[in-house]
């Protein structure tokens, strides 16, 4: 007993000391979070369903997310993001948290890491995954509300119930009501995400990360939007981004854009006119005033093929005719000759040529009119007369020649009578020279 009691007391003392010395200081938390991040990167299973990883996530990572230390909070958000990338369940659960961090936190590195996590989640799982989850949450809330209002529904007549139910379930395609409802929910969620991305692109701190993330999403067809593409083009040419890393990223994105991605080319065509209009209508204090619209148009036209060029040329002509004197209209008149319409259809070429003739009459600037005139001549060279037009022209020429034959014959007989009677040479009167073609006929 004398021997056991001191040992037991010592054991109890050591355990109590260990419990009282449990560390949660920043240095210890940084070491733990670094190990958790390395552990998560090395596993391939779902973190949400692994007991060890889920405990580490709740006890270590989530504790660090609310820490007042910026470094601890940053490493916690990084570890949480890595966990969400390999777990769709966690991604759906914590996406809103990352969005809130971007909107609330003041530490630059935390903002950039949270935004990178958001883009990575959309890139891995797709925006529609989170839209479906949001739609399910809304449906569950509606079910709860409908159960709570059961008394009200009971008091209503059966006819009113059927009418209200039909009004709530109006759909575009009666054959696929579920698909239509999911599409509407996805569009609503995507619209909100696009609005957030626009805010991020306007933020000087986040615009580099946002531009890179949007470019990745668009390149992988996870998100395709003309307004976002227009903002990427404006960032590429904005003088304030000179020397920024986002220019290198956007340069790679634009150089690989037209590699068989027809959906993105349609987006470029949709963004063409809004981008130029934004530049032309920018206030004098805006850095966009330093951008040359012709350079922007050349870039976007270089990304597009011939089919898009002819459509843009037709739209551009119509825009110029609507406002030929405005800065936007003058800008379009300078850009129009850069359209490559050589491979366009004949009907479109004739339409462009007719519109150009109207524009040339409206334009007063000499150099612009000269450029448009040379462009119209170039388009005229691409127009080939159709077989029907050739037949009409040939028939008209034949009719003219038939009508002219009696007159020519009478003139020739009169000339022959005069020449035989007076025996004068053919050029007797120099003031009335004879046409050799008429004489030959």
């Amino acid at each position: 007993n004398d021997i056991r009691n001191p040992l037991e007391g010592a054991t109890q003392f050591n355990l109590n000391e260990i419990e009282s010395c449990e560390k949660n200081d920043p240095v210890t938390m940084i070491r733990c979070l670094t190990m958790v991040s390395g552990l998560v990167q090395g596993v391939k299973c779902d973190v949400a369903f692994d007991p060890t990883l889920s405990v580490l996530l709740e006890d270590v990572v989530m504790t660090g997310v609310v820490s007042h230390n910026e470094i601890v909070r940053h490493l916690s958000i990084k570890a949480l993001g890595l966990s969400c990338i390999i777990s769709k369940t966690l991604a759906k659960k914590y996406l809103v948290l990352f969005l809130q961090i971007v909107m609330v936190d003041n530490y630059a590195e935390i903002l950039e890491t949270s935004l990178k996590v958001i883009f990575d989640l959309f890139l891995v799982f797709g925006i529609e995954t989170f839209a479906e989850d949001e739609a399910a949450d809304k449906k569950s809330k509606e079910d709860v509300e409908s159960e709570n209002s059961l008394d009200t529904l009971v008091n209503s007549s059966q006819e009113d119930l059927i009418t209200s139910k039909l009004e709530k379930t109006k759909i575009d395609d009666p054959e696929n009501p579920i698909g239509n409802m999911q599409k509407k929910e996805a569009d609503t969620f995507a619209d909100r995400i696009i609005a957030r991305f626009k805010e991020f692109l306007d933020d000087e701190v986040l615009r580099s990360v946002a531009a890179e993330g949007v470019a990745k999403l668009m390149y992988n067809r996870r998100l395709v939007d003309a307004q976002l593409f227009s903002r990427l083009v404006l960032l590429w040419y904005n003088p304030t981004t000179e020397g920024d890393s986002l220019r290198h990223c956007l340069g790679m994105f634009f150089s690989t854009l037209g590699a068989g991605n027809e959906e993105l080319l349609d987006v470029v065509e949709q963004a063409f006119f809004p981008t130029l209009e934004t530049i032309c209508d920018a206030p004098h204090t805006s850095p966009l005033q330093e951008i040359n619209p012709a350079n922007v148009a050349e870039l976007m036209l270089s990304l597009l093929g011939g089919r898009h060029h002819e459509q843009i040329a037709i739209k551009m002509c119509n825009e110029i005719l609507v406002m030929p004197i405005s800065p936007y209209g003058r800008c379009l008149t300078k850009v129009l000759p850069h359209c490559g319409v050589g491979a366009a259809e004949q009907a479109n070429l004739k339409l462009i040529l007719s519109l150009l003739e109207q524009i040339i009459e409206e334009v007063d600037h000499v150099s612009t009119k000269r450029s448009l005139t040379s462009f119209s001549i170039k388009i005229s060279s691409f127009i080939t007369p159709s077989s029907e037009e050739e037949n009409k022209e040939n028939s008209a020429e034949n009719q003219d020649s038939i009508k002219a034959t009696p007159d020519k014959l009478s003139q020739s007989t009169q000339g022959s009578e005069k020449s035989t009677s007076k025996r004068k040479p053919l050029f007797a009167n120099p003031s009335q020279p004879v046409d050799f073609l008429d004489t030959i006929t």
Side-chain angles (χ1 to χ4, degrees):
N1 293 331
D2 295 336
I3 296 173
R4 291 176 183 175
N5 290 333
L7 290 176
E8 290 178 358
T11 304
Q12 292 176 1
F13 175 77
N14 292 334
L15 290 174
N16 293 331
E17 184 180 2
I18 291 172
E19 291 177 0
S20 62
C21 294
E22 182 180 352
K23 296 182 179 180
N24 56 1
D25 58 287
V27 177
T28 305
M29 290 294 294
I30 289 171
R31 291 175 181 175
C32 294
L33 291 168
T34 304
M35 288 188 288
V36 171
S37 297
L39 181 62
V40 172
Q41 292 181 30
V43 299
K44 297 182 180 180
C45 62
D46 195 332
V47 179
F49 300 103
D50 186 273
T52 304
L53 294 177
S54 60
V55 169
L56 288 174
L57 186 66
E58 293 294 333
D59 294 344
V60 180
V61 177
M62 298 308 298
T63 303
V65 169
V66 296
S67 174
H68 294 287
N69 187 282
E70 291 83 0
I71 301 176
V72 173
R73 197 162 66 250
H74 180 222
L75 291 175
S76 301
I77 292 169
K78 182 180 178 181
L80 181 61
L82 292 171
S83 303
C84 293
I85 288 174
I86 60 176
S87 173
K88 185 186 290 188
T89 305
L90 294 178
K92 292 180 178 180
K93 183 178 180 180
Y94 292 112
L95 175 66
V96 179
L97 175 62
F98 290 113
L99 288 170
Q100 291 175 350
I101 292 172
V102 175
M103 302 301 294
V104 174
D105 209 298
N106 297 322
Y107 194 55
E109 293 185 3
I110 293 177
L111 296 176
E112 293 178 357
T113 301
S114 301
L115 190 56
K116 287 179 181 178
V117 171
I118 293 171
F119 283 118
D120 288 341
L121 294 181
F122 287 146
L123 192 62
V124 173
F125 301 110
I127 295 179
E128 62 278 359
T129 300
F130 303 95
E132 293 171 359
D133 189 61
E134 186 185 55
D137 293 340
K138 286 184 178 180
K139 187 177 183 304
S140 62
K141 290 180 181 179
E142 290 176 357
D143 293 339
V144 172
E145 291 176 357
S146 63
E147 291 178 1
N148 294 333
S149 59
L150 183 61
D151 297 334
T152 306
L153 294 176
V154 169
N155 296 329
S156 302
S157 62
Q158 188 70 18
E159 185 178 356
D160 294 338
L161 287 175
I162 296 173
T163 305
S164 62
K165 208 167 188 179
L166 289 174
E167 290 179 353
K168 289 182 180 179
T169 57
K170 284 183 179 178
I171 52 177
D172 298 329
D173 185 6
E175 296 180 359
N176 189 16
I178 298 176
N180 289 325
M181 293 174 67
Q182 290 178 349
K183 184 177 184 299
K184 290 179 180 179
E185 295 291 343
D187 291 343
T188 304
F189 181 80
D191 291 340
R192 292 203 302 271
I193 291 299
I194 289 171
R196 291 295 186 188
F197 287 169
K198 290 177 184 177
E199 296 177 2
F200 300 151
L201 289 172
D202 294 336
D203 193 324
E204 294 184 1
V205 177
L206 299 175
R207 66 184 178 188
S208 296
V209 178
E212 182 178 353
V214 171
K216 288 180 180 179
L217 291 176
M218 295 188 72
Y219 181 77
N220 291 278
R221 305 184 190 183
R222 290 296 194 181
L223 177 65
V224 180
D225 183 73
Q227 295 180 356
L228 289 177
F229 182 82
S230 175
R231 287 178 180 261
L232 293 182
V233 174
L234 295 176
L235 281 175
W236 168 259
Y237 281 101
N238 197 322
T240 59
T241 62
E242 187 174 358
D244 203 336
S245 60
L246 71 86
R247 285 203 173 187
H248 176 72
C249 174
L250 293 178
M252 295 295 295
F253 171 64
F254 292 141
S255 62
T256 59
L257 185 63
N261 199 336
E262 192 65 27
E263 187 177 3
L264 276 180
L265 295 182
D266 293 336
V267 168
V268 176
E269 181 179 346
Q270 296 172 14
F272 185 85
F273 292 101
T275 305
L276 296 180
E277 189 173 4
T278 302
I279 297 172
C280 295
D281 295 341
H284 296 288
T285 58
S286 174
L288 299 180
Q289 279 288 330
E290 302 179 19
I291 301 176
N292 187 359
N295 295 337
V296 179
E298 287 180 6
L299 169 67
M300 301 181 74
L301 289 173
S302 66
L303 301 175
L304 300 171
R307 178 180 67 85
H308 298 275
H309 278 225
E310 57 184 280
Q311 296 297 328
I312 286 178
I314 294 173
K315 293 178 183 177
M316 202 180 300
C317 291
N318 291 322
E319 291 284 339
I320 294 171
L321 290 174
V322 171
M323 49 183 79
I325 308 176
S326 65
Y328 178 54
R330 293 175 181 174
C331 169
L332 293 181
T333 54
K334 297 178 181 178
V335 172
L336 182 58
H338 294 283
C339 294
V341 293
E345 297 179 359
Q346 293 293 312
N348 290 334
L349 287 174
K350 293 176 182 178
L351 176 60
I352 295 171
L353 184 62
S354 64
L355 294 173
L356 267 175
E357 293 174 353
Q358 301 177 33
I359 293 171
I360 292 172
E361 294 179 357
E362 297 288 338
V363 173
D364 297 330
H365 199 271
V366 178
S367 62
T368 304
K369 181 175 288 190
R370 188 184 302 113
S371 175
L372 293 175
T373 303
S374 61
F375 184 56
S376 65
I377 295 172
K378 182 179 179 181
I379 292 178
S380 300
S381 64
F382 295 138
I383 298 176
T384 56
S386 60
S387 58
E388 295 180 357
E389 292 178 352
E390 290 180 351
N391 294 333
K392 289 181 181 180
E393 291 178 357
N394 293 333
S395 61
E397 290 178 356
N398 293 333
Q399 291 178 1
D400 293 339
S401 61
I402 292 171
K403 291 179 181 179
T405 301
D407 297 334
K408 294 176 182 176
L409 289 174
S410 62
Q411 290 177 1
S412 61
T413 51
Q414 291 176 0
S416 61
E417 290 176 356
K418 291 180 180 179
S419 61
T420 51
S421 61
K422 298 182 180 179
R423 298 184 181 275
K424 291 182 179 180
L426 187 63
F427 295 106
N429 189 0
S431 62
Q432 297 179 354
V434 180
D435 191 349
F436 276 101
L437 294 177
D438 293 340
T439 307
I440 292 171
T441 54

